[in-house]
Structure formats: structure tokens, C-alpha cells
Amino acid sequence: MRISVIVPVYNVEKYLSRCLDSLVNQTFKDYEIIVVNDGSPDNSKKIINEYLKKFPELIKSYTKKNGGLGSARNYGLKKSIGEYIMFVDSDDFVETNMLEKMYSVARKKNSDMVICNINDYYEKSSINKLNYNIYTGNNVFKNPEIILNRPAAWNKLYKRELFNNSDMKFVDNKWYEDLRLTTKLYLECNKISFIKDHLYNYVIRENSIMNNKNISRNYEIIEAFEDVISYYREKNLIDKFNDEIEFLAINHLFIAASVRIIINSRNKDIRKNLTPILEYFKTNFNINNKNKYLKDLSFNQHLIYTLMKSECYVLIKFIFKIKEFISA
């Protein structure tokens, strides 16, 4: 078996068929689809069984007690037999030639990891195809900026051997499990390859994990960064990759996580709710230094970064409310 595609499932009955359709219709042939029902209480199980009947040679279905996205991915890894591993979130969908293109590059270049570009797919509008700053190179030791690529698990093809180390697994019942693991996996790769094609469709929906209104869950990004920093420190690499880790913190902690907290807070509570994030950032990173990657922030990111430094939190919330109103 060349590729195992692992699909964790939880409360996605509205999106699951589209996801599975994109996977069962791949131009690539030698692969398996590992569907892990993570105790989903909706009709996802019924949908999975329908596809299992239609594609019994292609789909393997498992049901487990709810343990979160990381737990479901780890479970799928244990059940998979592929030479390469791919993760697809069940509310997303992929292009029908994704496996073929990713595997071709992996074999041709003997890659430990292959990364493709993505489409941001908004529910209320058409596909918004974005060319993210894809940082290319051979590996992080020759090209450290590779660490700055979007730390998602799902737009990548991995050589199975990367997960043989017991430390290389997702954490259970935690947010930001991708950030924790992907940033570590980069260090384990001798060769990382890139595809500019937009092969993965990332669905941005109102009630997804990263848009969840549970403010306290956003604080888990602090634990994620502590995990990453500890791993790099244990390998005596924290100084070598200091700029890259700091820029990740600027982008994902100081900007993205802070914005999620701001837009879901009452105005009078914003400063209090931001305190854990801001204190951690200011203790571990230099907000006023000239990180060499700041130039890579998009216009919108740079605007939020500037407003955050000026503590214009209510203005940030107002901007996002206006944006939501315009797109409604």
C-alpha cells in the first residue's frame, strides 16, 4: 500500500459526503482511506457506512470514544499500512489528482515530506484561492524559513518513518495539535518538497474549532509553543531557529489567537481575556525587535500587528465586525 489517507470524523454530517467523494475519486489507485469516527453523535456514522458499502476495498472504518482530533489521527496512524501518510479533515475536500501529484513528487525526489498549496474555501462565498508564502528549500537546516510554512497537518504527504519515533504523535484533546507536531517533524526531514498547485480545499466554517467562541481554549496555544520550544531546546537548536520560532509566535499567537479572543470578548473584557496571551508573548519574545520575517506578513496581518502593539483592541474588533457585515 502506497498511501494511507486518515480522515477523523466528528459532527460533520453536512460536509462528510463531499470530503469522501473527493477521496474515493482520486486518479491515484494504490491507497486506503482510514475513516475514524471519533464518537460523533450526529449522522456521520450512517454516511460512513454508506460509503463503506460502496467502496469496501478502499475504505476502512473505525469507531472510537471521543478523544479529539489528535486522538483520532493517532488512532488512524496505528490502523494504517501505507508507505506514506496523509491527513484530511472531514469538513475539507481535496482535488482528485492530489494523491497522484503528491506521491509522484515524493518518489521522484525521495522526499520525507511534500507540501502543496491550498484554497481557502468560505462557506458563504466561492473559493478564495490564496498563494500563501510557501517557503521552499531542501530542509530546515539549509533553509530555516521552511519552519514558517502553515503548520497544518492536512496539506502534506509524510513518509511513514517520520512517525516511528514515539514523540512524533498528536496530543489528545488539545487545540493547536498541528502546530506542536508539524514544527517538530520539520526537524526530522532530510528532504522536503513543495507543489505550487492548490490541491487542498480548506473549508472555513463558522463553527469550526478555530472559529469556536470558547475563549479559554485559545490559551492552549501557550502550551503548544512551550512544547515546541522545549523540543528545540532539547536538540540544542533554539538559538539556531530563534527568528523562525519568534515569527511563528508573532503570526499565530500575537496576531491570530489574539484576534479570536478579541472578536469573541465583550469590549470591557478584552484586555483581561488577552492577558495570558500577552504576558506569555512579552516574556518569551521581543515585540519591538525587527524580526527579519516581518516583511512576509500580509497587509491585513501587518495592520493587526500594528494595532495590537498600540493596544487598539476595540478597533480590531470593530474592523472584524465590519468585515463580517460586508461578507454577510
Side-chain angles (χ1 to χ4, degrees):
M1 186 69 63
R2 296 179 183 178
I3 300 176
S4 294
V5 182
I6 298 170
V7 185
V9 173
Y10 186 79
N11 273 1
V12 287
E13 61 181 6
K14 179 180 176 181
Y15 309 94
L16 185 54
S17 291
R18 180 175 61 187
C19 175
L20 294 178
D21 282 340
S22 73
L23 291 173
V24 299
N25 290 305
Q26 288 291 307
T27 56
F28 192 75
K29 298 305 176 187
D30 191 7
Y31 69 107
E32 62 176 358
I33 303 170
I34 307 292
V35 181
V36 181
N37 180 353
D38 191 37
S40 185
D42 65 355
N43 289 317
S44 292
K45 181 177 181 179
K46 179 180 178 181
I47 296 170
I48 293 169
N49 288 339
E50 290 173 356
Y51 278 83
L52 187 61
K53 290 179 181 179
K54 292 180 182 177
F55 306 96
E57 302 300 319
L58 185 57
I59 294 178
K60 297 178 181 177
S61 174
Y62 302 92
T63 300
K64 60 180 286 295
K65 182 180 178 181
N66 180 254
L69 183 58
S71 173
R73 287 173 176 165
N74 290 334
Y75 189 94
L77 273 170
K78 293 178 181 178
K79 298 296 183 180
S80 64
I81 60 173
E83 176 187 3
Y84 289 86
I85 302 294
M86 180 179 290
F87 301 100
V88 175
D89 284 359
S90 48
D91 50 352
D92 299 334
F93 60 104
V94 304
E95 298 301 307
T96 55
N97 59 351
M98 182 177 183
L99 298 191
E100 182 178 0
K101 286 199 170 188
M102 300 282 271
Y103 182 79
S104 176
V105 170
R107 294 292 291 180
K108 183 178 180 180
K109 298 186 177 181
N110 191 27
S111 307
D112 298 298
M113 183 187 297
V114 181
I115 305 174
C116 72
N117 215 327
I118 72 171
N119 298 319
D120 273 348
Y121 190 94
Y122 291 87
E123 284 188 288
K124 296 181 180 180
S125 61
S126 58
I127 291 178
N128 182 12
K129 184 177 289 188
L130 297 177
N131 284 300
Y132 287 94
N133 287 324
I134 294 186
Y135 300 88
T136 62
N138 189 284
N139 59 54
V140 295
F141 295 97
K142 294 181 179 179
N143 306 94
E145 62 273 12
I146 289 173
I147 293 173
L148 306 182
N149 281 296
R150 192 166 183 168
W154 33 251
N155 66 327
K156 300 170 179 68
L157 182 70
Y158 309 85
K159 190 173 286 187
R160 184 180 194 85
E161 284 78 6
L162 289 175
F163 297 96
N164 287 347
N165 184 331
S166 61
D167 290 332
M168 295 298 114
K169 62 180 181 180
F170 297 95
V171 294
D172 294 351
N173 281 316
K174 295 288 184 180
W175 281 14
Y176 305 102
E177 71 287 329
D178 291 16
L179 173 64
R180 290 170 179 255
L181 183 58
T182 304
T183 312
K184 296 176 186 178
L185 285 175
Y186 287 144
L187 295 180
E188 309 303 317
C189 295
N190 293 316
K191 175 66 175 178
I192 300 174
S193 298
F194 301 84
I195 298 177
K196 292 183 179 180
D197 303 56
H198 298 252
L199 301 176
Y200 192 97
N201 297 296
Y202 172 60
V203 178
I204 300 175
R205 55 192 179 97
E206 186 177 352
N207 61 339
S208 66
I209 289 177
M210 287 297 97
N211 289 325
N212 193 290
K213 292 179 171 56
N214 187 336
I215 291 173
S216 63
R217 296 304 301 268
N218 285 281
Y219 300 146
E220 292 176 21
I221 195 170
I222 295 173
E223 185 180 336
F225 267 98
E226 280 294 287
D227 190 3
V228 171
I229 290 171
S230 295
Y231 190 79
Y232 276 64
R233 187 173 286 125
E234 287 172 6
K235 291 183 171 290
N236 296 315
L237 293 172
I238 192 65
D239 292 333
K240 178 178 178 62
F241 296 109
N242 180 70
D243 283 344
E244 289 74 28
I245 298 298
E246 182 176 72
F247 185 71
L248 280 180
I250 290 171
N251 195 354
H252 296 280
L253 192 152
F254 189 68
I255 297 176
S258 294
V259 165
R260 283 192 287 271
I261 291 172
I262 288 170
I263 62 178
N264 290 306
S265 297
R266 296 180 299 176
N267 287 357
K268 67 177 183 178
D269 295 330
I270 290 176
R271 191 175 296 273
K272 179 186 70 175
N273 290 341
L274 280 175
T275 296
I277 294 287
L278 297 182
E279 287 188 350
Y280 177 79
F281 186 85
K282 291 175 181 178
T283 299
N284 292 276
F285 307 100
N286 188 346
I287 191 173
N288 293 313
N289 81 342
K290 299 296 181 181
N291 187 288
K292 64 182 180 180
Y293 296 111
L294 284 175
K295 60 180 173 51
D296 294 340
L297 289 175
S298 68
F299 174 82
N300 289 341
Q301 288 173 320
H302 203 279
L303 173 62
I304 299 302
Y305 176 67
T306 302
L307 293 175
M308 282 293 299
K309 289 201 298 179
S310 301
E311 301 184 4
C312 298
Y313 308 135
V314 175
L315 179 55
I316 291 173
K317 183 173 183 178
F318 177 76
I319 290 172
F320 277 87
K321 286 294 183 182
I322 291 295
K323 181 182 177 183
E324 182 181 351
F325 175 79
I326 293 174
S327 61

